[in-house]
Amino acid sequence: MVLSVLLQCGILFCVCVVVFTIIFMIYIRLSEERFNVKCKCTPRLDGKTVLLTGGSSGIGLETARNLARRGPRLIITCVNEKAAKAAAEDLIATTGNKDIHYRQLDLSSFDNVQNFVKDFNESFDKLHILVNNAGISNADNTLTKDGIENTMQVNHVAPALLTLLLLPKLDASKPSRIVAVSSKACKYADFTLKDLNSAYYIGRSLSSWKRYANSKLCGLLWTKALSRRLPEGITTNALHPGIISTKIYVSEKCNPVIKSLFLFVLGKLFKTTEEGAQTSIHSCVSPHLEGVSGQYLSECEVSKTVPAFEDFEYTEEIWKATRSLIVSRLTNDTDLS
Ligand SMILES: NC(=O)c1ccc[n+]([C@@H]2O[C@H](COP(=O)([O-])OP(=O)(O)OC[C@H]3O[C@@H](n4cnc5c(N)ncnc54)[C@H](OP(=O)(O)O)[C@@H]3O)[C@@H](O)[C@H]2O)c1
């Protein structure tokens, strides 16, 4: 008898959680997202070289597909080399562009980033568009072997290192663009500068959502500071792609049934990956963005984001803290100037 009441209460509780989650998602969809926004820009990219990180799935794959149709040499990266190869073959088959390449890149390792850049520089003579798209959100609160909190390294510190190491190539290929796939999640950040210091960060035991928001905030503010330092001819902008049902939302440890159900509901309510790629595509090709730098885009237009984005002192502090963190972890005398 008691067991049956407990079981009924448990089922009722689960139903309430599911209903509440769906109502909350509908609210977010209606209040935060616009429908059917498309990048209408037609420029082709023949003769250009584009590097896109995290091109094996989700928003990255669809961004890559659209850019590939415009005729550039396109290099996609991801952690899993097999997945990268499969994605490159899929892109060649669906776009007819045969100049598509793949490379393994693991942003959770500075050594890997440096080796990647060395190989990239030897293999490709130009770089016109760099899309820092790769990211994670459900990682455990652990340190990478570089001693940095995992999400912060993959989403912010390593893309910063990658960008700095590729600057000479971008400079030699001007006009060139650096596109940072950020997230509206940065407005939920719970961040102090000390959080770039891994020991402190691990001590705080923040949720994966907060650590994601913090990493996206740092990446966004770092982009603003980068825009002040770039030579004429190189621009950088950050963007929010929207909410899209991708594997970034679910932990590998998640129950497969819950995972599929969650992604199914998310997929029905929110943007498709093709829609989610539109602002990235726009940032890469829009003629209206020529010479536009240090901006934040959402729904294919320049938009407002967190107040910290316009805070000169704070963005400079993020720049300096990120730089010293990178320098302190590099084991060789890599030139970051
Ligand atoms: N989905 C959304 O609603 C949403 C909203 C706002 C912002 N974003 C941003 O959009 C970007 C793309 O996310 P998505 O939703 O398309 O997710 P996704 O499907 O999970 O794609 C993430 C990509 O990043 C790569 N990646 C993961 N860990 C990496 C590492 N350590 N080093 C290098 N690459 C790594 C993955 O490669 P593997 O497959 O080999 O792991 C994959 O190609 C992310 O920056 C994310 O923060 C997404």
Side-chain angles (χ1 to χ4, degrees):
M1 174 68 180
V2 178
L3 261 180
S4 139
V5 171
L6 280 177
L7 191 68
Q8 283 175 20
C9 288
I11 293 172
L12 193 68
F13 176 74
C14 292
V15 171
C16 287
V17 169
V18 170
V19 171
F20 175 78
T21 309
I22 294 176
I23 292 173
F24 180 67
M25 282 173 159
I26 294 171
Y27 166 75
I28 298 281
R29 174 54 157 135
L30 295 176
S31 61
E32 301 262 336
E33 302 268 298
R34 290 204 344 239
F35 293 81
N36 294 325
V37 176
K38 275 217 144 194
C39 170
K40 299 192 179 77
C41 303
T42 53
R44 290 197 50 83
L45 294 171
D46 304 287
K48 305 279 185 197
T49 301
V50 180
L51 169 61
L52 184 143
T53 66
S56 63
S57 64
I59 301 162
L61 180 60
E62 289 316 312
T63 306
R65 202 183 309 284
N66 183 296
L67 297 179
R69 290 199 174 102
R70 298 170 191 261
R73 165 169 293 173
L74 173 66
I75 303 100
I76 59 164
T77 77
C78 69
V79 189
N80 181 325
E81 198 161 351
K82 244 172 131 181
K85 183 171 185 280
E89 284 168 1
D90 171 31
L91 290 171
I92 291 170
T94 54
T95 66
N97 183 342
K98 294 192 171 51
D99 205 357
I100 294 176
H101 310 256
Y102 65 89
R103 291 288 187 276
Q104 194 270 345
L105 169 66
D106 184 356
L107 293 162
S108 67
S109 157
F110 280 1
D111 275 353
N112 188 290
V113 172
Q114 290 178 93
N115 289 336
F116 167 83
V117 173
K118 191 169 174 288
D119 168 72
F120 184 91
N121 282 334
E122 285 164 8
S123 309
F124 306 103
D125 57 344
K126 295 276 179 205
L127 178 57
H128 301 93
I129 303 175
L130 166 64
V131 190
N132 280 314
N133 165 80
I136 52 171
S137 83
N138 260 301
D140 290 337
N141 194 5
T142 52
L143 296 182
T144 64
K145 66 177 184 176
D146 299 302
I148 300 169
E149 190 274 323
N150 202 13
T151 307
M152 184 60 85
Q153 172 152 344
V154 172
N155 291 355
H156 165 53
V157 190
L161 172 63
L162 177 72
T163 305
L164 293 175
L165 294 178
L166 288 170
L167 271 184
K169 190 71 92 182
L170 286 154
D171 195 31
S173 316
K174 291 187 293 194
S176 49
R177 297 183 185 195
I178 304 163
V179 174
V181 182
S182 181
S183 171
K184 220 180 234 179
C186 63
K187 71 178 176 188
Y188 302 104
D190 173 9
F191 179 78
T192 71
L193 268 177
K194 280 187 194 166
D195 290 329
L196 274 172
N197 175 325
S198 58
Y200 181 76
Y201 208 88
I202 290 296
R204 278 186 79 195
S205 70
L206 288 177
S207 68
S208 57
W209 167 247
K210 282 287 175 199
R211 284 179 286 114
Y212 175 70
N214 288 356
S215 68
K216 287 294 174 182
L217 178 73
C218 285
L220 178 72
L221 306 187
W222 187 85
T223 298
K224 186 68 159 191
L226 173 68
S227 71
R228 296 189 198 106
R229 291 165 167 83
L230 291 175
E232 204 168 312
I234 313 181
T235 59
T236 184
N237 294 300
L239 66 97
H240 171 64
I243 299 174
I244 302 102
S245 172
T246 68
K247 68 180 169 63
I248 202 165
Y249 283 110
V250 280
S251 153
E252 275 168 17
K253 294 177 200 151
C254 182
N255 176 301
V257 178
I258 297 178
K259 187 167 153 176
S260 310
L261 189 70
F262 178 74
L263 289 180
F264 175 78
V265 175
L266 204 65
K268 288 288 165 207
L269 287 176
F270 290 92
K271 292 182 177 179
T272 61
T273 42
E274 199 187 341
E275 287 172 306
Q278 297 304 312
T279 306
S280 295
I281 297 160
H282 191 73
S283 304
C284 292
V285 303
S286 171
H288 303 296
L289 292 175
E290 257 162 45
V292 174
S293 197
Q295 299 298 320
Y296 171 84
L297 285 93
S298 177
E299 311 284 12
C300 293
E301 57 191 34
V302 172
S303 176
K304 271 203 178 330
T305 178
V306 289
F309 193 55
E310 301 304 333
D311 184 333
F312 179 87
E313 301 291 336
Y314 194 43
T315 49
E316 285 300 302
E317 280 179 31
I318 296 286
W319 174 273
K320 284 180 206 145
T322 303
R323 191 188 157 87
S324 20
L325 182 60
I326 293 174
V327 170
S328 72
R329 297 304 197 273
L330 291 182
T331 46
N332 48 22
D333 43 350
T334 305
D335 183 13
L336 286 182
S337 54

